[in-house]
Amino acid sequence: MHSLGKRAGVISLSGVRISPSPMFLSFVAFGAALAACEAKPREAAPQTAIVSIVPEPQSAKFNNQSYEWPRIATVHSTAAGTSPAVAALARYVKPHGILIKPSDANLVAAVVFKDAHDPRLGREGYRLRVARDGIAIAANSGPGFFYGVQTLAQITHGALRSQIGAVRDWPAHSWRGIHLDVSRHFFDTHTVERYIDVAAHYKLNVFHWHLTDDRAWRLQVPSYPRLTLAGSSYSPAQVREVVRYAAARFVTVVPEIDLPGHSSAAIAAYPELGCGRPGILCANHRAAAFVDTVLRFVMQVLPGPYIHTGGDEVPDANVQAYFARHVQVFLKKSGRLPVAWDDLLRTDPPGDTVIMSWHGEAPGLRAARDGHNVVLTPDGPLYFDAYQGDKNQEPPASSHLSSLEQVYAYEPALEGLPVSQRTHILGLQANLWTEHVPTAGHLFYMLLPRELALAEITWTLPEKKNWKSFLRRLPQQLAWLQARAYPFRVPAPLFEVRGARPILFTAIAARVQSVRAYSADPVVLTTLQVAAPNASIRYTTDGTVPGRASAVYRKPLQLHLSRGHDIDIRALAVLPDGKESTISECILEHPADQAFSQLHGARSWESLVSP
């Protein structure tokens, strides 16, 4: 685990380029579109319906018509490796009363899987075609078929209608990872599998399972039974089941056994592994034999190609180097690849070590220039243990900020890396450390919807990314999560303030969801918007905290300002099930003309605040 001391001062986000981005969608428009879609489930989608796919495909075209699924949907495959995709399709349609049945006749099948013979798609790309007479998914291998089904599920609504159109899609990055620390707080396999399930739906393909740390050791190792006596743990059978579950969704499980640092739990169970330095294994034969035995068992129950062995925050470089060399030799003999945090770079690690760059991007770029494969996971935007908004409105979290927009805006700054070496950048990963996260509800609140932004920045080509489009597509995705009982952070309302004369906006110190607006005109029109499904907006105009009994926002507010008297608008979103967002705030002022002429600020409220 990376120490909180190092991260406590992280406020600015190195390498993050956040551009002002206007909001997109009023609650009224979204509600009308959704109501129209649900009220007449068998009719064609209206012209104004939003086709919501996350991550955004590389190419997609749709019309305003729908394919209506039969109650018994025949499936025909002319390609190998389609079984997981067919199983995923059956899981999706079963709750809607539709049965999937294999068919030998291509001409009468409702869904056809076929070889794409398209090199551009790679292993994970796909083509999806929905027409009046059926659905076709083409890919080069199993992952592509599976991801084609995930997109099909996102364009399928009601009971059941699929939007007619065509998609051609492939990922920007091969490593699209999400991490979970189960050492600080333990999560049962049901929660872990739900964690993997939502990742796979949004086309993430690596699950980094942080199994050991100072707090607790969570993997039962038969040769060292005392490792897990102090707390909850996973049996070998449970681990194998998680691996099987992930493999069926084309998610690679990367286990992490953190060493030689962060080993307090192991040393507490077996004191002979230490040499008196807190949390650090001894660089001797006994500790090396322990590592060999543990890793040998890890490879038995977790058969993936990568083993993460930590290597972070070890004060003694000689101890760090000793274990780095030992692990690399041991794993190489076993046909596995070592993964380590970028702290290991000071030991000049072997070239086949995959480096996870968490101290910003610079260590990763240096590692890539030295020939290492690299996963970028910068502490800041991609650390999901961070606050998502104002600290006084959020549940406990690490001290820095990682808002939804900051996650979406992250784009690696690779300009200093020669083009020939950029292939060493395997992709991106977000990490979720759990020292402040004791429950599954809190866990998914921290994960969602930030994971959707992560999915888009790892899959979608940079030139296709669009924050406004992402927010427009977000409500339907939150509805999908809600229908599957996933807790998530409800996006807060956003403000749009307009007047006949210019309006300037400035941030308020230590309040990331509050903005002060200065209007040169005494009359302003304020619009409230929210990217949440079927949400109502409650607001006040006197600076008091809004609640469910506050006024319901129904139309833009025309406000009359007077000099010397602020209007403090606060708003929150409320879902039909009672879940509430955090509160957004806009303090309106009407300064004298001379005072206004000396002000400097942004041109919009939303350019300063993320929902």
Side-chain angles (χ1 to χ4, degrees), residues 267-340:
I267 294 170
Y270 295 94
E272 63 272 20
L273 298 176
C275 289
R277 289 169 297 195
I280 308 297
L281 295 177
C282 238
N284 61 21
H285 176 73
R286 180 178 302 187
F290 164 79
V291 169
D292 291 352
T293 300
V294 168
L295 293 182
R296 190 176 294 112
F297 178 72
V298 167
M299 289 185 288
Q300 290 174 13
V301 295
L302 291 132
Y306 300 101
I307 304 290
H308 199 306
T309 55
D312 59 315
E313 297 176 333
V314 180
D316 189 326
N318 291 326
V319 174
Q320 191 180 36
Y322 172 85
F323 281 98
R325 289 191 294 269
H326 181 85
V327 164
Q328 191 272 342
V329 171
F330 182 83
L331 292 181
K332 187 172 184 178
K333 289 180 180 178
S334 305
R336 306 296 180 90
L337 291 171
V339 184

Side-chain angles (χ1 to χ4, degrees), residues 550-569:
S550 301
V552 178
Y553 175 79
R554 301 187 188 281
K555 62 180 180 179
L557 308 174
Q558 188 175 53
L559 301 171
H560 296 265
L561 309 176
S562 59
R563 292 190 171 118
H565 298 281
D566 300 349
I567 294 180
D568 187 344
I569 309 175

Side-chain angles (χ1 to χ4, degrees), residues 95-273:
H96 299 278
I98 292 176
L99 177 67
I100 293 294
K101 181 180 178 181
S103 170
D104 294 328
N106 189 0
L107 294 177
V108 299
V111 182
V112 175
F113 293 91
K114 57 185 179 180
D115 286 309
H117 304 294
D118 185 347
R120 184 66 182 90
L121 299 181
R123 288 188 66 252
E124 298 182 299
Y126 63 92
R127 293 196 307 265
L128 168 64
R129 174 184 170 273
V130 180
R132 283 186 174 276
D133 58 350
I135 297 164
I137 299 175
N140 296 326
S141 63
F145 292 114
F146 180 83
Y147 295 138
V149 168
Q150 304 314 307
T151 296
L152 175 62
Q154 292 191 28
I155 63 169
T156 302
H157 310 285
L160 284 177
R161 297 173 300 107
S162 296
Q163 197 86 8
I164 288 179
V167 178
R168 186 168 181 258
D169 199 13
W170 61 90
H173 295 286
S174 61
W175 187 298
R176 305 180 301 281
I178 186 67
H179 155 288
L180 176 60
D181 164 27
V182 296
S183 175
R184 266 118 203 114
H185 285 101
F186 180 81
F187 297 95
D188 61 23
T189 55
H190 173 71
T191 301
V192 171
E193 288 176 353
R194 279 173 58 77
Y195 199 87
I196 291 169
D197 214 31
V198 70
H201 180 66
Y202 290 106
K203 304 183 178 75
L204 299 177
N205 66 348
V206 175
F207 172 53
H208 177 171
W209 204 359
H210 189 84
L211 290 163
T212 76
D213 214 301
D214 289 318
R215 181 76 61 84
W217 187 289
R218 301 300 189 184
L219 176 65
Q220 296 175 15
V221 180
S223 299
Y224 292 93
R226 297 204 303 268
L227 287 173
T228 53
L229 290 181
S232 300
S233 60
Y234 305 106
S235 69
Q238 288 175 317
V239 171
R240 288 189 176 99
E241 174 55 26
V242 169
V243 170
R244 185 206 64 77
Y245 190 91
R249 291 153 179 79
F250 295 98
V251 173
T252 298
V253 179
V254 177
E256 181 178 357
I257 306 298
D258 203 352
L259 57 92
H262 296 292
S263 296
S264 294
I267 294 170
Y270 295 94
E272 63 272 20
L273 298 176

